[in-house]
Amino acid sequence: MWHFYAGGFMVFGILLFLILSSGSVLAAAYADRRYEEALPLTIFGIMVVFYFLGIFGALKSGLYTVLALAAAAYLLAGYQVIRRRDFFPFLKRIFTPGFCFFALMFLLAIFSNKGMTPHWWDEFSHWGDTVKVMTMSDAFNASSGFHTLFPSYPPAMSTFQYFMQVLRQMLYKTDFCEWLMYSSYHIACAALLAPCFGRLRWKNISGILFCALGAALIPLAGYANYYNILTIDAFLALLAGFCMAYPFAIEKKRGWLQISTLASALFILVLTKETGVLF
């Protein structure tokens, strides 16, 4: 059984990681940006695609849209790398400390959450329930007839969790996976923390280790249950901190990537919880 899980689930994990990395690969090829610089924008982009398609009743088509965009990103990046003949500098921009941090957190999110099930009231009343409703109906939980307790809650995180559910179901034709909701949550949070490594180089090993430890512990400082609960507060806090710190981080380099990332982060902040409107 473990052999089936490790071998079969590996396809899902690799495909998912490639999709989440597609924006970073494109930015590294065309804008000479490091992996972690475009990672948050990719996560935001996935949420935005599902949100707008869901508004028009085409939530499930968001999966195929994201797959098409990811494939196009790799094709365009490959063309650019071949045209410029800068394969090794391109790889250097991809395999950064931020890439390794995200890859490690990605693996931990996938494997450490296996078997996790909802166990807090807020998960049963909304944060877990809404993802299951969306997965079973391919529609937002606010749609009439679902009788969810909090249909007015914004769906940013739910769209990302839904994306991972339908991607897995596309590959394996399986039922709803409860523990994958936790993996989705932690992967999205890790993407917000990866830019902390933006100025670190491989020769600064002590700085990398210190930053990795800090990034893993920061969520616990304000939310002790971060690693075993689905409530949106920890992600909301990280996203709000990202929105406040990012303008200072990009003070000397405000290109299309930085402006798009900040604008998308502010938009997703509003879609995360109603308190995001305050920003």
Side-chain angles (χ1 to χ4, degrees), residues 148-222:
T148 51
L149 293 179
F150 303 101
S152 64
Y153 275 26
M157 177 56 69
S158 300
T159 59
F160 187 70
Q161 292 168 315
Y162 170 82
F163 155 66
M164 287 182 55
Q165 292 285 343
V166 293
L167 177 64
R168 179 175 177 269
Q169 290 182 347
M170 182 190 73
L171 294 174
Y172 304 118
K173 308 299 181 184
T174 58
D175 296 328
F176 182 78
C177 180
E178 292 183 333
W179 63 263
L180 196 59
M181 294 188 294
Y182 295 87
S183 299
S184 313
Y185 188 101
H186 295 146
I187 288 171
C189 290
L192 296 178
L193 292 167
C196 295
F197 296 80
R199 298 184 181 182
L200 292 175
R201 299 299 182 267
W202 282 114
K203 60 183 180 181
N204 188 4
I205 299 298
S206 59
I208 293 172
L209 294 176
F210 179 79
C211 193
L213 181 62
L217 295 179
I218 280 176
L220 295 175

Side-chain angles (χ1 to χ4, degrees), residues 133-152:
V133 168
M134 290 171 63
T135 305
M136 295 178 66
S137 64
D138 294 320
F140 286 135
N141 71 309
S143 302
S144 60
F146 293 146
H147 306 294
T148 51
L149 293 179
F150 303 101
S152 64

Side-chain angles (χ1 to χ4, degrees), residues 13-30 35 39 42 66-83 87 90-91 94-95 99 102:
I14 292 174
L15 178 59
L16 175 62
F17 191 82
L18 288 174
I19 293 172
L20 300 183
S21 300
S22 59
S24 297
V25 170
L26 185 63
Y30 275 89
Y35 179 90
L39 183 59
T42 306
V66 168
L67 289 173
L69 290 173
Y74 279 103
L75 289 174
L76 290 171
Y79 167 77
Q80 181 72 351
V81 170
I82 293 173
R83 188 180 69 84
F87 183 70
F90 167 77
L91 290 181
I94 292 295
F95 295 107
F99 168 88
F102 180 70

Side-chain angles (χ1 to χ4, degrees), residues 20-274:
L20 300 183
S21 300
S22 59
S24 297
V25 170
L26 185 63
Y30 275 89
D32 297 335
R33 296 302 180 187
R34 289 159 60 95
Y35 179 90
E36 60 274 7
E37 291 186 73
L39 183 59
L41 181 59
T42 306
I43 303 295
F44 300 151
I46 292 173
M47 294 177 177
V48 168
V49 166
F50 277 93
Y51 175 70
F52 280 109
L53 289 175
I55 289 177
F56 295 102
L59 189 63
K60 184 67 175 288
S61 63
L63 173 63
Y64 307 108
T65 303
V66 168
L67 289 173
L69 290 173
Y74 279 103
L75 289 174
L76 290 171
Y79 167 77
Q80 181 72 351
V81 170
I82 293 173
R83 188 180 69 84
R84 294 174 59 182
R85 299 179 181 178
D86 67 341
F87 183 70
F88 290 106
F90 167 77
L91 290 181
K92 188 176 180 180
R93 294 190 292 271
I94 292 295
F95 295 107
T96 64
F99 168 88
C100 289
F101 168 78
F102 180 70
L104 177 61
M105 297 304 291
F106 178 90
L107 292 173
L108 288 174
I110 291 293
F111 289 102
S112 66
N113 285 309
K114 186 177 182 294
M116 184 81 76
T117 58
H119 50 283
W120 294 81
W121 165 247
D122 287 350
E123 296 174 325
F124 289 110
S125 63
H126 179 73
W127 300 111
D129 176 65
T130 188
V131 181
K132 189 167 186 176
V133 168
M134 290 171 63
T135 305
M136 295 178 66
S137 64
D138 294 320
F140 286 135
N141 71 309
S143 302
S144 60
F146 293 146
H147 306 294
T148 51
L149 293 179
F150 303 101
S152 64
Y153 275 26
M157 177 56 69
S158 300
T159 59
F160 187 70
Q161 292 168 315
Y162 170 82
F163 155 66
M164 287 182 55
Q165 292 285 343
V166 293
L167 177 64
R168 179 175 177 269
Q169 290 182 347
M170 182 190 73
L171 294 174
Y172 304 118
K173 308 299 181 184
T174 58
D175 296 328
F176 182 78
C177 180
E178 292 183 333
W179 63 263
L180 196 59
M181 294 188 294
Y182 295 87
S183 299
S184 313
Y185 188 101
H186 295 146
I187 288 171
C189 290
L192 296 178
L193 292 167
C196 295
F197 296 80
R199 298 184 181 182
L200 292 175
R201 299 299 182 267
W202 282 114
K203 60 183 180 181
N204 188 4
I205 299 298
S206 59
I208 293 172
L209 294 176
F210 179 79
C211 193
L213 181 62
L217 295 179
I218 280 176
L220 295 175
Y223 208 72
N225 296 319
Y226 166 71
Y227 285 106
N228 66 353
I229 196 169
L230 291 175
T231 51
I232 201 63
D233 303 86
F235 177 78
L236 178 66
L238 288 174
L239 182 57
F242 180 91
C243 291
M244 289 187 287
Y246 196 73
F248 298 99
I250 63 172
E251 185 177 358
K252 295 182 180 180
K253 49 176 182 179
R254 295 180 179 175
W256 65 268
L257 176 62
Q258 290 74 28
I259 300 301
S260 298
T261 299
L262 182 58
S264 299
L266 291 170
F267 180 70
I268 295 300
L269 186 64
V270 176
L271 285 184
T272 298
K273 200 173 183 180
E274 292 161 339

